[in-house]
Amino acid sequence: MSFPATNPSDDVEVGEACAVDDLDASASWDRRCVRACLLLVLVVAAANLWKLGFGLDSDPVLHRSGLTTVSEPPPLAGTHTLDPNDGSTLQALGIAAGDQWLDGDVPYWNRYEGVGMPLAGEMQSMAFNPIVLLYQVPHGFLLAQILLESIAGVATLLLISRLGIGLLISLGAGIAFAFNGTFAWLTNAAMNPVAFLPLLLLGIEVAHSSTNSRRIGGWALIAVAVSGSLYAGFPETAFINGLFALGWCIVRAKGMGRSELVAFARKLAAGAVAGVVLAAPILVAFIDFLRTADVGGHAGGFATSTLPSTSISPLFMPYIYGPISAFSGATTSPNLGGFWSSIGGYLSAIQLFLAIATLGIRRLRPMHIAFGVWFVIYLSKTYGFIPSVITLVNLVPGIDQLAYFRYSQPSVSMGLLILAAFGAHGLVTGEVTRRMMVRSGIVCSVALIGMAIYAREETQFFVAASRYRWYFVGSVAFALIGIGVAAVLALPSLKTWRRMGFAVLLAAEAGVMYVVPQLSTTRVSHVDMGPVDFLRANLGLQRFYTLGPIAPNYGSAFGIASINLNDVPISKLWGAYILDHLDANTSPFTFIGSFRANPSGPSSLDELVRNLDSFGEVAARYVVAPSDPGTTQRLSDAGLTVAYDDGDIAIHEVPGAAPYFGIVDGGCTLTPLSWQGVDVTCEQPATLIRRELADDGWSASIDGKAAAVTTTHEIFQSVDVPAGTSRVTFEFAPRHIGLAWLVAAFAALWLLGVVGLGSRERRRALIPRTTIAESDAA
C-alpha cells in the first residue's frame, strides 16, 4: 500500500525528521526529533511522579502486601488499578527474580512460593528481563512503568512520523499511546508487552522501506520487538499484538510486485524467527513448565467468555460508571463488578472522531478494511455482539486459550490512534474535507449519546450512590466537548494553530483520563516489617501459611517461604495436593487464606484446623493471622502457640511441623547447608526426603556423582543415600535450557553482524532513505 506524499507546502513537517533505519547507530536524527523524544519522556515522567508529592504512592507493596494500614482515604473513590496482580505476581515475583540475579544465580526456580515452583517458566515475573532490577531500588515499580510507557510513546512517535505525518502530531500521538487505557488501568504484567507493539510496527515499516530501496537487512528492529514482547512476561498480550502486527504486514504488502513481496516476506520472517530465537531461554522455560502446569481458564474456558453488554458504554467514556470499582458495592446489578474485574482498558472519543474522518481518503482504504475487521473481532470477542465471529475467530490456534476480552485493548487502541493521526494530518493539509469532518462528528455524537442512554439502564440499579451522576454527566460531556474542540480546530481561522492544537488535544485527552485513577490511590502508612523480620530470623528452611497478613507471593519478595500462592499457571501436583490435603473449599490458583469456592462452606480457618497435620507435613511451621481474640483462641484450642503478636498481626507456631530435609526410613544425622544442599551421615543406606516440589528439571548429586531423584509423598523429592557421610546437592534447570541460551547468543551475534553489514552497505552506497509518505513505487 502506498501513502503518496502530500504537498510539502501543506505541512512543512512532512519529511524524515524521525526516520530510523533498523538499528543503525549512524542514522542521522534531526534535532527536532531528539527534542520531541526527550519531551515525551519528560511528560511521561511528570504524569507519573507528580502524585508522590501528594502522598499518592501506588507502589504495590503498600497496597498488596497485607502489612500496611490505611492512614487517609484517596481524593476520589475507587481503586487506582484493575488487578491486584500488579503486586502479587509482577512486583513480588519480579523482586524474587532480581534478588537471584544479584546473588549470582539464574532465576529458574522460586522456593518461596507454594512448595517451590518454576520462576522463569511462570513468565509474569519477567525473570529474564533487566527491568526486574529496577524493583530493587525505591519506587522501582513506578520507574519501570515510566520506562515502559516511554518506550511505547517514543516508538509510536517514530512510527507515526515515518508514515509521513508531521512531527507535532506524531508527538501528540506518541504521548497519547504512552497514556493508553491499558497503561492507565491495568498495571499488572499484562501491560508490559504493550510497550513493544509500536516498536514491532516500526520494525515492519523499516523492513518495508528497506525492501523498496533494495537494501539488505532492515529486519533487526522486528527481532528486538518480538523478543522484547516475549521477555516482557505476558504471552497473551504478546500473542494478540502479534496477530495485529501480522494484519499490518498484509496491509503494507498491498501494491508490491512479486519480487518485492518475496523480499519483504523474507525480511519479516527473518525478524520474527530471530526474535523468537533471541527469546529462546524464556520460551523454553515457559514451555517446559506448561508440560506439568494447570493453566485454569486458559485451557479453553475463555473461548466464549464475554463482558456484559452494558460494558460497551465506557469504551469511549471510561468513567461513565465512575472511577475504577468506585460504585461496585452500590449497585444491585452484577454487571458492574464483572466489568471492572474483566476489562483491560478503554479507547478515545477524539481519536474515534479523527479516525472516522479519514474514511473518504482512498489511499487509506486497505487500512480501513484491516482495522474494521479487527474492530469487529474485538467487539464480538469482548461484548458477544456477533456469535458467528467468535466461532470463526476461535478457529485460529491459541485464540480460545486467551482472555481476548481483556488483553486485546492495546492493539485496538493502536489501530485507532494511527487512523486518528492520519485524520489530524488530513485536517491540517486539507485532505480531510469539511463534509468528511461533519459526517464523522454526527456519527460519533450519535454513537456516544446512544451509549450514554444505554448506560442509563445499568445506573438504574445504583443505590445510595448519588455521586455517580457527576461522573456520568462529566464523562459524556468530556467526550462530546473533545469532539467539539477537534471540530473547532478545523475552522479556517485556526489554520496556523491547527497542527499544534491537534497534538495538544490528543495528548491532553489521554493525559486527563490517565490521571483519574491515580486520584483513587489510597494513602497508606509505611510497611510494617516486624512480622517479616521475625520469620526471617526463625523460619529457617521451613514455611508459613497466611490467613491474610503477609499476602500470598510476597513471601517471595521478602525471602520467606509461604505455602500460599496467587498465580497462573501453577503445578498440577501442588494444585491437587492443596484441594486433597489442605483446603477443599478454595481454588488452587487463589490459595490465599481467604478465598472461598463456596462462600457458605468451611472457612479457611476451619480447613486449617481440620487438616493441621497435613499443613505440618509440608513444613508449614507458622501460621500468620490477624491478631484478634477469636482467631487466637481457635488456633490455641488446636494446639498452636503464639510466637509473635504486635497487636495487628499474630504468628502462631504449628506443633510438630516437618523439617525441610528428612529421612523416610532409618536413623541419620542431617546437617543442612542451604535449601539446595545437606550433609547426611547414616549407619546404613536410607532415603532422604526433600520437601520441595518434584519436577523433571531437578537433578541431584552425592559427593559430586549424579543420583536419581524420585517422587515421594505425592509431591516431594527423594534420593537414596548410602551408609556413611555424604553431601547431597540439588540443582534445577528447565530441560534444554543450555541449548536455548546457546542459540539465543548465536542469534544476538547474527543480529549484530547483520546490523553492522547493513550500516556499511548504506554508507558505501549512499542510498538516500525514503519515508512511507513517498510512493512505494519510486
Side-chain angles (χ1 to χ4, degrees), residues 667-682:
C668 299
T669 300
L670 303 179
T671 306
L673 305 173
S674 70
W675 70 284
Q676 289 182 275
V678 59
D679 284 339
V680 183
T681 302
C682 301

Side-chain angles (χ1 to χ4, degrees), residues 42 45 185 259 264 285 303 310 315 346 408 412 481 489 533 549 554 581 600 604 609 629 681 686 698 726 749:
L42 289 174
W185 279 5
S259 60
F264 185 45
T310 50
L315 184 58
Y346 53 80
S408 57
V412 179
I481 290 172
L489 285 173
D533 292 338
Y554 269 96
H581 300 284
S600 61
S604 299
V609 172
T681 302
W698 280 106
S726 307
L749 292 174

Side-chain angles (χ1 to χ4, degrees), residues 416-439:
L416 186 68
L417 179 60
I418 291 173
L419 286 174
F422 274 109
H425 180 71
L427 286 167
V428 169
T429 62
E431 195 174 14
V432 172
T433 65
R434 180 175 298 182
R435 181 178 180 180
M436 295 160 63
M437 182 195 68
V438 171
R439 179 183 60 193

Side-chain angles (χ1 to χ4, degrees), residues 43 50 73 145 169 171 209 225 300 314 487 549 581 592 619 645 705:
V43 170
W50 71 271
Q145 187 170 358
I169 294 176
L171 173 59
S209 178
H581 300 284
I592 60 177
D645 192 337
K705 297 180 180 179

Side-chain angles (χ1 to χ4, degrees), residues 7 39 70 73 117 150 184 230 244 318 359 386 389 423 430 474 499 531 534 536 543 596 621 657 666 707:
N7 186 341
L39 177 59
V70 176
M117 196 169 79
S150 297
L230 295 172
F244 179 82
L359 288 178
I386 310 177
V389 171
R499 190 182 305 113
F534 173 85
R536 283 173 174 168
R543 303 182 172 96
R596 297 291 83 197
R621 181 180 177 184

